[in-house]
Amino acid sequence: MQNTLPQRRQALGWSQQRLADELGVSRQTIISIEKGRYDPSLPVAFRLAATFHCSIEDLFIFDEGATA
């Protein structure tokens, strides 16, 4: 699944660590989500959307060609 997290995070001038601290997750979790290696749980996805004042659908782009 693709996402817009790096662009949104950088637009705020936040580091990956700052975003991780805001969400209560590890920096490695943020790195993995940004690189598309890990899909967040629903609670984390909702916290991300709240942090960026947008919907989950605005953050994550479903890739129908990707394997589950």
Side-chain angles (χ1 to χ4, degrees), residues 4-58:
T4 61
L5 290 181
Q7 297 87 353
R8 290 174 182 270
R9 177 180 56 75
Q10 291 167 0
L12 293 177
W14 287 9
S15 67
Q16 290 170 330
Q17 186 63 56
R18 166 80 190 271
L19 181 56
D21 292 343
E22 290 285 326
L23 298 175
V25 300
S26 71
R27 185 176 67 86
Q28 188 60 40
T29 297
I30 299 301
I31 291 168
S32 294
I33 293 171
E34 285 187 356
K35 292 188 176 204
R37 288 185 273 161
Y38 171 73
D39 293 334
S41 65
L42 278 175
V44 171
F46 277 108
R47 288 197 310 264
L48 280 164
T51 298
F52 293 112
H53 306 287
C54 65
S55 70
I56 291 172
E57 292 86 358
D58 289 337

